[in-house]
């Protein structure tokens, strides 16, 4: 944030009516999403550390949580596993762009636990109204974080997003409050107060300490130039070039001034020391934690064995499930910012199909209208799929996507007896397409966002043309063995419940 000076009486008053802006973005999200299941930015990686899997992201934000707690508590690290899980849960929407309803409908799980699971744990352990405050604050955060990400380009290209509207005035209170809500430092303040067994806490103390924790973090990130890498800078200014520098200085001064005024209020009103320390902890943890140095460098540090053991003890063994892994990998396949990572193993034709589908999703957002509707009864338009056998085979393979909950289940279905009399797929044939992570990502894309250009349908067509067409032509058309393939799959004993 930089800047110098203190301005007494810096206003702590809202200038902008938030809700009409938020509702406008959400209405656009609903229009564009239509019946489709995936927006252009859903499940993209926002860490800027070139993570190769969702599991890597979740494991490292869990590591970050333990390091944060050490900064907040010092040597008196009296906390529980539930405290740690609750704090980690509010970091997920910062690092991944996740639709809010996917949290609320239990589609997203961290180490096997959904938001509802955490709420139940809090209720069972007697957290009372603290659990209610945590739930409501988290729901607010999920929506604001999502809005911030889906309209990121609106801010940077056209200066029409929420950040742009807040950044046109020297008054910074709106930006500070919005930042506090997206960071969800209020939830952490509640957890800190509970873990230190503080008596019933004044609501102003919780809010002010949450605000100042966010501001001190932002001041630290600015001083260490982390914000040069971040997509969102809370003190960013928008407006004419000739007034931008002056406005930037005024907003920096406003940030400093509000921080100092709130810290005075906390101390002078007798706020307990743990919350006062929490309010200034950003100056400490930004300099010490791996999270922020990794952001500056653009890559991850290896997790030490002792930390890995602590993560297993507190959270469990598996950070993510196959569904989240597949969606993340789908986004990784089409990412243009991979750093020094190895290139994709997916064959060029299917990678092109993924890029085409992503372009369609992006066009739908830019033009503000619904994309193709989600539809499992897709139409197969392809000159190479030119007989009933081929159509039935591609349709049947396409239908398999709804039957699998994991790469292993998908592999069994693709090589099962269902296809035994219908040009079965060998391991070598599938390996020529890409890795199983690649193939699974295409399958999950179909589960979430199926249409005539869906990635899994492209897979089915490609495999037919590359692996089955020549053999089929040699042996002659044998539609009788293939016509009932889709129905066979639908009634297979391998059928499993897919999250929707």
């Amino acid at each position: 944030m930089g800047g110098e000076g203190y301005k007494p009486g810096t206003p702590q008053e809202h200038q902008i009516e938030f809700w009409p802006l938020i509702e406008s973005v959400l209405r656009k999200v609903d229009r564009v999403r239509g019946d489709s299941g995936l927006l252009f930015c859903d499940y993209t990686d926002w860490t800027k550390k070139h993570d190769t899997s969702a599991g890597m992201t979740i494991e490292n934000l869990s590591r970050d949580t333990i390091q944060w707690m050490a900064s907040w508590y010092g040597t008196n690290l009296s906390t529980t596993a539930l405290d740690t899980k609750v704090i980690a849960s509010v970091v997920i929407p910062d690092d991944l762009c996740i639709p809010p309803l996917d949290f609320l409908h239990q589609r997203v799980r961290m180490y096997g636990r959904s938001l509802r699971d955490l709420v139940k744990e809090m209720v069972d352990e007697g957290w009372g109204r603290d659990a209610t405050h945590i739930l409501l604050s988290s729901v607010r955060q999920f929506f604001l974080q999502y809005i911030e990400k889906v309209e990121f380009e609106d801010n940077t290209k056209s200066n029409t997003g929420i950040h742009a509207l807040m950044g046109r005035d020297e008054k910074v209170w709106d930006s500070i409050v919005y930042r506090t809500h997206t960071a969800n430092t209020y939830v952490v303040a509640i957890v800190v107060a509970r873990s230190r067994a503080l008596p019933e806490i004044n609501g102003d103390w919780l809010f002010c300490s949450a605000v100042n924790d966010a501001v001190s973090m932002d001041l630290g990130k600015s001083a260490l130039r982390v914000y040069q890498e971040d997509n969102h800078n809370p003190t960013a200014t928008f407006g004419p070039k000739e007034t931008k520098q002056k406005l930037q200085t005024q907003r920096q001064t406003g940030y400093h001034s509000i921080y100092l005024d709130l810290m005075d209020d906390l101390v002078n009103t007798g706020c307990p020391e743990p919350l006062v320390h929490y309010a200034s902890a950003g100056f400490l943890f930004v300099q010490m934690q791996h999270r922020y140095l990794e952001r500056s460098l653009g890559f991850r540090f290896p997790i030490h064995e002792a930390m890995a053991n602590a993560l297993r003890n507190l959270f469990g063994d598996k950070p993510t499930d196959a569904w989240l892994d597949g969606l993340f990998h789908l986004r990784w396949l089409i990412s243009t910012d991979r750093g020094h990572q190895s290139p994709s193993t997916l064959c060029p034709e299917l990678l092109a199909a993924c890029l085409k589908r992503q372009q369609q999703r992006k066009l739908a957002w830019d033009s503000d209208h619904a994309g193709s509707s989600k539809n499992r009864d897709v139409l197969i338009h392809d000159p190479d799929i030119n007989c009933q056998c081929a159509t039935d085979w591609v349709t049947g393979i396409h239908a398999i996507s709804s039957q699998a909950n994991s790469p292993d289940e998908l592999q069994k279905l693709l090589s099962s007896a269902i296809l035994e009399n219908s040009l079965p797929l060998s391991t070598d044939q599938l390996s020529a397409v890409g890795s199983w992570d690649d193939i699974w990502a295409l399958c999950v894309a179909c589960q979430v966002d199926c249409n005539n250009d869906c990635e899994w349908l492209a897979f089915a067509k490609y495999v037919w043309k590359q692996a089955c067409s020549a053999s089929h032509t040699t042996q002659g058309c044998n539609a009788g063995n293939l016509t009932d393939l889709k129905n066979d799959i639908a009634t297979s004993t391998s059928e499993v419940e897919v999250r929707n």
Side-chain angles (χ1 to χ4, degrees):
M1 238 133 281
E4 296 180 357
Y6 166 75
K7 184 179 179 181
T10 298
Q12 299 175 21
E13 300 172 348
H14 289 295
Q15 306 293 318
I16 298 173
E17 187 68 35
F18 275 114
W19 290 114
L21 304 175
I22 293 169
E23 289 172 353
S24 175
V25 178
L26 292 178
R27 282 195 294 270
K28 181 177 180 180
V29 168
D30 289 341
R31 284 195 303 271
V32 173
R33 192 181 298 277
D35 294 326
S36 178
L38 208 61
L39 258 60
F40 74 101
C41 59
D42 289 349
Y43 293 93
T44 49
D45 175 14
W46 286 67
T47 66
K48 292 187 176 291
K49 300 168 188 177
H50 305 108
D51 288 352
T52 57
S53 70
M56 177 184 290
T57 303
I58 299 299
E59 184 179 36
N60 278 279
L61 70 83
S62 302
R63 172 211 64 186
D64 297 338
T65 299
I66 294 175
Q67 292 181 346
W68 272 316
M69 297 178 82
S71 298
W72 297 325
Y73 299 149
T75 57
N76 185 22
L77 189 54
S78 55
T79 185
T80 67
L82 180 55
D83 294 340
T84 314
K85 295 170 194 172
V86 169
I87 293 173
S89 72
V90 305
V91 189
I92 300 175
D94 191 50
D95 287 357
L96 296 172
C97 180
I98 298 179
L101 294 182
D102 284 2
F103 284 108
L104 301 180
H105 293 163
Q106 303 187 82
R107 295 189 183 112
V108 175
R109 294 180 175 89
M110 176 179 178
Y111 287 94
R113 302 176 192 86
S114 67
L115 176 65
R116 184 175 297 179
D117 294 329
L118 289 179
V119 171
K120 184 178 185 304
E121 279 193 64
M122 287 188 284
V123 171
D124 290 345
E125 293 193 12
W127 284 41
R129 69 175 186 177
D130 285 343
T132 302
H133 281 247
I134 287 171
L135 173 61
L136 295 177
S137 184
S138 295
V139 170
R140 175 177 59 196
Q141 179 205 17
F142 298 156
F143 278 93
L144 297 186
Q145 277 276 3
Y146 189 65
I147 288 169
E148 187 174 68
K149 291 175 171 61
V150 297
E151 62 145 34
F152 169 66
E153 292 184 3
D154 294 339
N155 284 284
T156 57
K157 292 182 178 179
S158 59
N159 291 347
T160 59
I162 286 179
H163 280 279
L165 294 173
M166 291 188 295
R168 293 174 181 164
D169 194 280
E170 67 176 282
K171 299 180 178 66
V172 295
W173 184 245
D174 284 317
S175 296
I176 287 176
V177 171
Y178 193 91
R179 168 63 173 147
T180 302
H181 292 337
T182 58
N184 212 355
T185 48
Y186 180 73
V187 161
V188 181
I190 293 174
V191 175
V192 169
R194 287 188 61 85
S195 65
R196 301 305 291 270
L198 300 180
E200 186 169 340
I201 295 298
N202 182 317
D204 288 341
W205 288 341
L206 289 174
F207 178 69
C208 290
S209 63
V211 168
N212 267 15
D213 181 77
V215 173
S216 64
M217 172 172 57
D218 292 340
L219 288 167
K221 289 171 71 173
S222 182
L224 294 180
R225 301 187 178 182
V226 176
Y227 270 130
Q228 291 184 357
E229 306 299 327
D230 273 5
N231 287 325
H232 299 290
N233 184 340
T235 56
T237 58
F238 298 83
K241 291 182 179 179
E242 58 271 17
T243 62
K244 201 169 185 178
Q245 184 57 50
K246 179 180 178 181
L247 180 59
Q248 178 75 17
T249 301
Q250 291 171 331
R251 287 177 63 80
Q252 289 170 348
T253 300
Y255 256 74
H256 296 152
S257 301
I258 286 179
Y259 174 83
L260 293 172
D261 286 343
L262 291 180
M263 190 60 74
D264 279 348
D265 290 343
L266 289 171
V267 173
N268 293 336
T269 58
C271 180
E273 188 278 333
L275 285 179
V276 175
H277 172 74
Y278 170 66
S280 62
F283 294 123
L284 177 64
F285 61 69
V286 170
Q287 299 181 70
M288 297 177 62
Q289 283 194 220
H290 290 162
R291 180 181 181 88
Y292 305 100
L293 184 54
E294 288 174 339
R295 183 73 60 87
S296 298
L297 296 174
F299 60 82
R300 294 286 191 186
F301 298 135
I303 291 182
H304 190 276
E305 182 180 355
M307 175 62 75
N309 290 334
L311 292 173
R312 281 191 292 272
N313 291 334
L314 286 167
F315 293 99
D317 294 321
K318 187 168 176 51
T320 54
D321 59 16
W323 188 79
L324 181 55
D325 289 337
L327 284 174
F328 184 97
H329 193 74
L330 177 71
R331 297 318 199 171
W332 181 86
L333 286 172
I334 59 174
S335 173
T336 59
D337 180 25
R338 292 187 186 164
H340 300 292
Q341 298 172 10
S342 301
S344 166
T345 57
L346 186 64
C347 65
E349 292 86 348
L350 291 181
L351 185 58
C354 292
L355 290 168
K356 176 184 177 181
R357 187 69 187 100
Q358 175 64 3
Q359 290 168 355
Q360 292 173 345
R361 295 182 182 112
K362 187 63 172 65
L363 179 61
W365 179 262
D366 290 341
S367 58
D368 194 2
H369 67 78
S372 302
S373 295
K374 186 174 183 179
N375 177 18
R376 300 211 61 83
D377 297 322
V378 296
L379 302 175
I380 300 175
H381 296 299
D382 193 310
D384 293 320
I385 311 299
N386 53 12
C387 70
Q388 189 61 46
C389 284
T391 299
D392 289 346
W393 192 91
V394 169
T395 302
I397 293 296
H398 178 254
I400 282 178
S401 70
S402 64
Q403 308 298 313
N405 270 342
S406 71
D408 288 343
E409 291 178 2
L410 179 63
Q411 186 172 10
K412 290 177 182 177
L413 285 167
L414 289 174
S415 59
S416 69
I418 294 172
L419 298 172
E420 199 168 281
N421 297 319
S422 312
L423 304 173
L425 300 176
S426 70
T427 301
D428 289 343
Q429 288 171 329
L430 293 171
S431 297
V433 174
S435 70
W436 270 108
D437 285 341
D438 297 337
I439 296 172
W440 173 244
L442 305 182
C443 179
V444 175
C446 182
Q447 293 177 0
V448 175
D449 190 21
C450 179
N451 81 338
N452 288 334
D453 292 305
C454 97
E455 294 88 340
W456 185 247
L457 183 60
F459 164 85
K461 293 177 180 178
Y462 177 81
V463 172
W464 169 266
K465 288 183 281 189
Q466 297 299 316
C468 303
S469 180
S471 174
H472 170 68
T473 302
T474 301
Q475 296 175 12
C477 186
N478 190 12
N481 288 337
L482 295 169
T483 303
D484 296 328
L485 175 59
K486 186 176 179 181
N487 291 333
D488 290 341
I489 293 170
T491 59
S492 168
T493 56
S494 301
E495 183 170 357
V496 291
E497 181 182 357
V498 175
R499 213 177 304 162
N500 54 40

